[in-house]
Amino acid sequence: VVVAVADTVAWRSDDGGASFRVATVLTSPARAAAIADEGTVAFVADADGVVELTGGRDARRVLDRPADALVGCGAEALALAGGGVYRLARDAEVEELGARPPARALACTDVGEPRVVAVGVGLWSSRDGRAWLENGGDAGAAYADVALTNAGTWLATKNGLRGPAPPEPEGSDLVDVVPRAARPGRTRELPRWSAFLPRLTVAFATWSESQGRAGWHCWALLTFSIDRRARARMNALLEAPP
């Protein structure tokens, strides 16, 4: 099953994408789409919420608040909407699992032990979408998107693509595999106390328009480093080429 969205129209294909038919027309432009339950159900998010597609032109709105991200996970799908994480399932009531992390993209794997990953301000993981744990090595970093494969986690950053690598002690298990072109820079000598200054990260979340109101949504995070390892990471970051 393939689902395609463009503006307010959602298409669905049951033959591997050889041909498509209109599944529904949304009330606002589509933001994201996800397939669950082996293709028997699809969910499409727009500025007014989430619509469930179950074949033909059968569609019903299951969530009435703007959703920023969707991901299929086995027989269900997860959505980031407002300040919460929601579980969606075919012909079932929507369940709010809990508060969302400061994230704007989701990925899920149901091979082996189920795992959900969320990115935005930092990298977060969860078993069921209820409780989230932040990867300490990525605290304060900004990511645009995430994908999970058999090889590991792939992240989209402003500097390029980061992919799986063997884990290093007390550090992140990700490395830059498609980095931005390096530019010459100069090493800056910094006083010791500078490592304890807060680090500010601002990430764009979404833009929404509903019931005559529109606005930008951003996440802002202040990270304070209070240990030697954090100070070493900060110095290495500041000494890197711009």
Side-chain angles (χ1 to χ4, degrees), residues 52-136:
E52 176 190 270
L53 307 177
T54 54
R57 299 198 63 164
D58 296 332
R60 71 182 183 104
R61 187 166 295 278
V62 295
L63 189 62
D64 60 357
R65 61 193 61 189
D68 305 318
L70 283 174
V71 66
C73 196
E76 304 168 337
L78 295 180
L80 297 180
V85 181
Y86 295 84
R87 174 185 291 159
L88 314 174
R90 178 171 183 172
D91 300 327
E93 294 296 325
V94 174
E95 179 184 2
E96 184 175 2
L97 301 178
R100 66 184 275 181
R104 54 181 174 179
L106 287 171
C108 177
T109 177
D110 56 357
V111 177
E113 184 178 354
R115 184 167 69 100
V116 186
V117 172
V119 297
V121 179
L123 172 66
W124 303 76
S125 61
S126 174
R127 291 185 178 181
D128 54 10
R130 298 182 184 274
W132 295 86
L133 178 65
E134 185 178 14
N135 184 339

Side-chain angles (χ1 to χ4, degrees), residues 159-183:
N159 295 324
L161 183 65
R162 298 182 69 194
E168 297 179 1
E170 302 177 346
S172 173
D173 60 351
L174 298 166
V175 296
D176 294 326
V177 294
V178 186
R180 185 174 54 184
R183 293 176 293 178

Side-chain angles (χ1 to χ4, degrees), residues 174-236:
L174 298 166
V175 296
D176 294 326
V177 294
V178 186
R180 185 174 54 184
R183 293 176 293 178
R186 61 180 181 179
T187 301
R188 288 162 285 182
E189 295 294 334
L190 299 173
R192 291 180 177 271
W193 53 262
S194 64
F196 297 97
L197 294 175
R199 178 184 176 190
L200 174 64
T201 301
V202 180
F204 168 73
T206 184
W207 182 87
S208 65
E209 181 177 1
S210 180
Q211 298 180 351
R213 299 183 63 184
W216 299 94
H217 302 274
C218 296
W219 293 97
L221 177 68
L222 279 176
T223 304
F224 293 87
S225 302
I226 58 175
D227 61 17
R228 293 182 178 178
R229 290 174 299 172
R231 185 170 66 236
R233 289 196 298 268
M234 179 65 72
N235 287 338

Side-chain angles (χ1 to χ4, degrees), residues 2-24:
V2 179
V3 172
V5 294
D7 197 44
T8 59
V9 182
W11 288 271
R12 181 186 177 106
S13 171
D14 293 325
D15 51 6
S19 61
F20 289 83
R21 63 175 182 274
V22 174
T24 190

